[in-house]
């Protein structure tokens, strides 16, 4: 056994144990007094991190529950407003039912005055609760509650939000079908029984009107709107059997509208969803006119024959029931060959006659196969038969009027829309429409981006070539080779092309392979070429062909205005249109719109005429625009559509954009040729145009219509209220889930962060005992060296 004075090991050990005990006592006291197990990150770093995460989630859920309760309160306020609007509808139905009775002897004007005030009050209250069209809450409402998790491509923020979509649950008069867009016939023309000259009976029995009908006893109206615009227009064929006055005319039209909407096609479905109805409007002076209205869609209505045109008020005079003519004709620029004339060897092949315009979304080609022995008489008969058998041309109302050998061809449109007739492959101009060649000489495609000649003489003699770019007018080009060789012919042709601004802009260039000359377009412009005269200097004339200078077709009898765009809608001004001919003249239109306070939606649409042809005519451009809008899968942009219109009889056709949105705008891009839509480089904004339809009970007939409309309004209101009720339940469920999550998160955090007081009390008692024992042991350890003194005393 050894004894030391300098180092007291027992004392050092006692002090270390005493320090540890003191720390344990301090922690135990801190945990007992704070109630927390984790007093610092050193106590449990991982546990503290998890607990803090739980605490943060609780803060989110607490605010989320408040958010959901606020949303619930908003929906309850809306629900109460809808209940009140329901009572207003009850009152409106009472007034309408009273006025609809044939035995009512009081003043319908008094009833109508109160009825109008009820309708206006519906609008005011709908605005007050934010569920009017474009209202504060007429959109998808997203309430962030929290507690969401990421899964299957949905992030935690999206999963943590509860949504209710009220964008289709507006309850103003327009949304309930009591107001809407409306297209009214000419109000100054009375088609009621008050006018013997222009009454319905007089109109439907007028000989000129009867002769214009495509099917005897039926008159046609054409409707265009979102999803059924351009070439997808919907034809409503009205059976006039039994129609004697304007009232049963409206019944017949509405029956035909219902039938048209039952056809299985996307356009018919969109038409049915537009809920179009025919009605009669009585002016203050008692004149009655036909009108069409829709509660939820903008539209255009056009007459398809003179009968329909007269019913819309477009008559030759106020004393004549004959509708203004819709006929529009195209006459060939030259006469056809004399009877018995054969096409000959140089003319044998395929002659293609192209029709474009008249509402056609794309050109319709009629291919005539002719041999050397085919006579002009046979070719004209084949042409007439083919036109009559073409579903596309018949749908557009195009027919052949004159197919007499020796006379100019005459084609007409029964609906008066502008159209063009062009030819390719008729190298001897037997049809009088020009001698442009097809891509393969006597056979081949109608037009081309590159063509190679054959059997050229390449003589040093001037010759005139004609070009048509993208179906445009003829460009005559006098060409003189620089030398009597293929190189000289090529050089002369390129010099002439470079001297013509249109051909140069289209990127046309001539090359040769040592044997033949090829003309091609660097911009992809499709063109046609013809040779004037019998010579074949450059190789673009068939041997023996007698190409003649092309004479422009003649447009005659351009239609009067026969279409009406619904009022109470947003419309742009009429934007002029010029066909895009060059492949390098692409034009971009950017349509921008917003609805119900949502972010702006934009769509860029490119108009062009090259490998993709969609702007060779105004009809092609309209079809391209409407197709792009329909395929955008954007509910806001799909409410906009383009229509063909004109401001005056004989005026140029242009494009208007129409919608029921509160506003939209079209940015018109520029191109080098200045073709396509006019107003290039500007933004064309829409403006509120015309007045819409409002339910009325001023007459027995209008009151009966109002009764039906109000019955549908009650259903619509119920559907809107059901969405609001569903939203309330949804928010309640969201609150319940959030409260449950909050409780469980609090419990989970408590298990990590909070102290077990029973355990900590025991630890504190243990620490106190150890501390007392440690202090006593330390005292004894410190006194141990004194024992050495007993050795020194000896």
């Amino acid at each position: 056994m050894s004894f030391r004075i300098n180092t007291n090991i027992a004392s050092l050990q006692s002090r270390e144990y005493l320090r540890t005990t003191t720390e344990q006592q301090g922690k135990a006291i801190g945990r007992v007094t704070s109630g927390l197990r984790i007093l610092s990150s050193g106590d449990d770093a991982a546990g503290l991190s998890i607990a803090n995460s739980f605490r943060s989630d609780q803060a989110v859920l607490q605010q989320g529950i408040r958010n959901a309760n606020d949303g619930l309160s908003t929906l309850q306020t809306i629900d109460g407003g809808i209940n009140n609007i329901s009572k207003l509808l009850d009152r409106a139905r009472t007034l309408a039912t009273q006025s609809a009775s044939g035995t009512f002897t009081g003043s319908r004007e008094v009833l109508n005055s109160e009825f109008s005030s009820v309708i206006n009050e519906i609008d005011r209250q709908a605005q007050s609760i934010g569920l009017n069209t474009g209202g504060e809450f007429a959109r998808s409402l997203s309430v962030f509650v929290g507690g969401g998790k990421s899964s299957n491509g949905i992030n935690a923020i999206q999963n943590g939000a509860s949504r209710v979509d009220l964008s289709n649950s507006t309850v103003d008069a327009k949304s309930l079908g009591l107001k809407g867009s409306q297209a009214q016939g000419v109000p100054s023309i009375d088609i009621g029984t008050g006018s013997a000259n222009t009454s319905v009976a007089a109109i439907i029995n007028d000989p000129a009107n009867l002769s214009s009908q495509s099917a005897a006893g039926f008159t046609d109206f054409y409707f265009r709107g979102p999803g059924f615009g351009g070439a997808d227009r919907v034809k409503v064929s009205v059976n006039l059997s039994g129609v004697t006055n304007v009232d049963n005319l409206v019944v017949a039209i509405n029956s035909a509208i219902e039938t048209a909407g039952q056809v299985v096609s996307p356009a018919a479905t969109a038409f049915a969803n537009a809920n179009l109805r025919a009605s009669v409007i009585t002016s203050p002076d008692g004149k009655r006119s036909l009108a069409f209205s829709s509660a939820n869609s903008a539209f255009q209505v056009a007459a398809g024959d003179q009968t329909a045109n007269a019913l819309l008020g477009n008559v030759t005079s106020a004393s004549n029931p004959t509708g203004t003519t819709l006929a529009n004709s195209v006459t060939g620029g030259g006469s056809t060959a004399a009877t018995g004339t054969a096409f000959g060897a140089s003319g044998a092949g395929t002659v293609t006659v192209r029709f474009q315009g008249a509402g056609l979304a794309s050109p319709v080609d009629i291919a005539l196969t002719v041999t050397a022995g085919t006579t002009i008489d046979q070719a004209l008969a084949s042409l007439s038969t083919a036109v009559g058998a073409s579903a596309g041309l018949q749908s557009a109302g195009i027919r052949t009027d004159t197919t007499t050998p020796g006379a100019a061809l005459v084609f007409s449109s029964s609906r008066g829309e502008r159209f063009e007739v062009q030819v390719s492959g008729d190298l001897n101009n037997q049809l009088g429409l020009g001698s442009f060649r097809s891509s393969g000489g006597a056979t081949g495609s109608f037009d081309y981006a590159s063509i190679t000649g054959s059997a050229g003489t390449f003589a040093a003699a001037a010759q005139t070539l004609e070009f048509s770019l993208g179906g445009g007018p003829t460009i005559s080009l006098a060409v003189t080779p620089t030398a009597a060789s293929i190189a000289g012919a090529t050089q002369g042709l390129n010099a002439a092309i470079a001297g013509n601004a249109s051909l140069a802009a289209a990127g046309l260039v001539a090359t040769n392979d040592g044997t033949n000359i090829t003309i091609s377009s660097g911009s992809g412009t499709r063109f046609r070429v013809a040779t004037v005269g019998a010579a074949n200097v450059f190789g673009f004339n068939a041997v023996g062909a007698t190409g003649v200078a092309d004479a422009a077709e003649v447009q005659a009898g351009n239609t009067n205005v026969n279409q009406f765009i619904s009022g109470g809608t947003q419309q742009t001004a009429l934007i002029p249109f010029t066909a895009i001919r060059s492949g390098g003249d692409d034009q971009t239109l950017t349509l921008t719109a917003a609805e119900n306070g949502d972010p702006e939606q934009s769509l860029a649409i490119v108009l062009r005429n090259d490998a993709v042809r969609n702007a060779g005519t105004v009809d092609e451009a309209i079809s391209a625009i409407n197709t792009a809008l329909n395929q955008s899968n954007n509910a806001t942009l799909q409410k906009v559509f383009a229509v063909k219109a004109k401001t005056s009889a004989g005026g140029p056709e242009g494009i208007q954009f129409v919608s029921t949105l509160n506003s939209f705008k079209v940015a018109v891009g520029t191109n080098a040729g200045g073709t396509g839509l006019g107003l290039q480089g500007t933004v064309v904004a829409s403006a509120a145009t015309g007045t819409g339809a409002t339910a009325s009970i001023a007459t027995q007939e209008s009151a009966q219509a109002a009764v039906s409309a109000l019955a549908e309004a009650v259903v619509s209101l119920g559907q809107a209220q059901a969405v609001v009720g569903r939203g309330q339940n949804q928010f309640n469920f969201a609150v319940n889930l959030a409260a449950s999550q909050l409780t469980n998160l609090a419990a989970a955090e408590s298990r990590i962060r909070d102290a077990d007081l029973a355990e900590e009390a025991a630890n504190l008692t243990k620490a106190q005992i150890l501390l007392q024992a440690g202090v006593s042991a330390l005292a004894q350890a410190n006194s141990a060296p004194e024992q050495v003194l007993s050795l020194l005393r000896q």
Side-chain angles (χ1 to χ4, degrees), residues 367-705:
L368 304 175
T369 301
V370 297
T371 64
T374 301
T375 65
I376 186 63
D377 310 67
Q378 294 169 328
L380 292 176
S382 297
L383 175 61
S384 181
T385 300
V387 169
S390 170
L393 296 181
Q394 292 307 300
S395 175
I398 295 175
R399 63 175 184 266
T400 54
D401 281 355
T402 302
T403 55
T404 305
L409 280 170
V410 179
F411 305 89
S412 65
S413 165
S414 61
R415 290 198 292 281
E417 296 182 82
R418 286 184 60 87
F419 67 100
E420 299 171 350
V421 185
Q422 301 173 350
V423 73
S424 180
D426 185 15
L427 301 183
N428 294 311
N429 195 29
Q430 301 283 60
L431 299 179
L433 298 174
S435 56
F436 288 106
R437 64 175 290 162
S438 58
S439 62
T443 61
S445 61
F446 179 85
D447 51 14
Y448 24 80
S450 178
I451 185 170
T452 300
S454 62
T457 64
F458 311 124
Q463 187 169 43
T464 298
L465 298 182
E466 292 183 333
F467 293 85
S468 172
L469 301 177
T474 299
I475 300 172
S476 183
L477 196 68
V479 186
T480 302
T482 59
S485 64
I486 190 171
T490 304
Q491 187 176 10
L493 184 53
N494 279 327
I497 289 173
N500 184 281
S502 297
L503 297 180
L508 263 63
V509 63
T511 58
N512 71 76
D513 59 3
T515 302
N516 297 306
I517 294 177
T518 298
I519 302 175
S520 58
S521 168
S523 65
T525 300
R526 299 189 69 82
F527 62 93
R528 291 175 294 157
V529 63
T531 301
V532 178
N536 191 26
V537 175
F538 299 95
F540 297 103
N541 197 17
V543 176
T546 55
V548 299
D550 183 52
E553 62 190 24
V554 179
Q555 292 269 357
N558 204 357
T559 179
N560 294 296
V561 177
N562 69 313
Q563 74 275 335
F564 298 87
I565 298 176
S566 57
T569 57
Q570 287 282 323
Q571 303 175 20
T572 64
L574 183 68
I575 305 175
F577 179 85
T578 305
I580 294 178
R581 304 298 187 187
S582 175
D585 283 346
D586 292 3
Q587 181 184 40
T588 300
L589 312 177
T590 304
L591 194 147
T592 305
E595 184 177 29
N596 300 330
D598 292 333
E600 284 190 337
Q601 308 294 312
S602 295
L603 178 68
I605 303 169
V606 179
L607 301 180
R608 54 197 295 189
N609 193 353
D610 43 32
V612 176
R613 176 194 175 106
N614 65 14
T617 66
V618 66
D619 301 282
E620 292 177 10
I622 288 173
S623 178
I625 292 168
N626 287 331
T627 298
L629 289 169
N630 293 339
Q631 294 178 351
S632 68
N633 293 323
N634 186 296
T636 298
L637 296 176
Q638 286 174 337
K639 293 183 179 180
V640 183
F641 69 102
V643 295
K644 180 170 62 177
K646 57 179 9 180
T647 56
S648 62
E653 294 175 333
I655 297 178
Q656 269 186 281
F657 294 84
V658 189
S659 179
T660 53
L661 295 172
N662 291 329
S663 66
F664 64 92
K665 55 190 176 183
V666 180
V668 183
T670 61
N671 61 19
T675 54
L677 266 72
L679 307 179
Q680 294 191 359
T682 66
V683 176
V684 182
S686 67
T689 306
T691 56
T694 303
S696 168
I697 59 172
T699 65
Q700 182 182 355
E701 294 80 5
S702 63
Q704 290 172 345

Side-chain angles (χ1 to χ4, degrees), residues 181-183 223 250-251 253-255 257-258 274-279 291-295 299 708 712:
S181 64
Q182 176 177 274
F223 292 87
V250 166
V251 173
I253 293 175
N254 285 330
S255 176
I257 287 175
E258 184 174 353
N275 295 315
L276 277 154
R277 303 293 294 172
S279 62
F292 297 90
S293 60
S294 170
F299 63 93
S708 299
E712 295 176 1

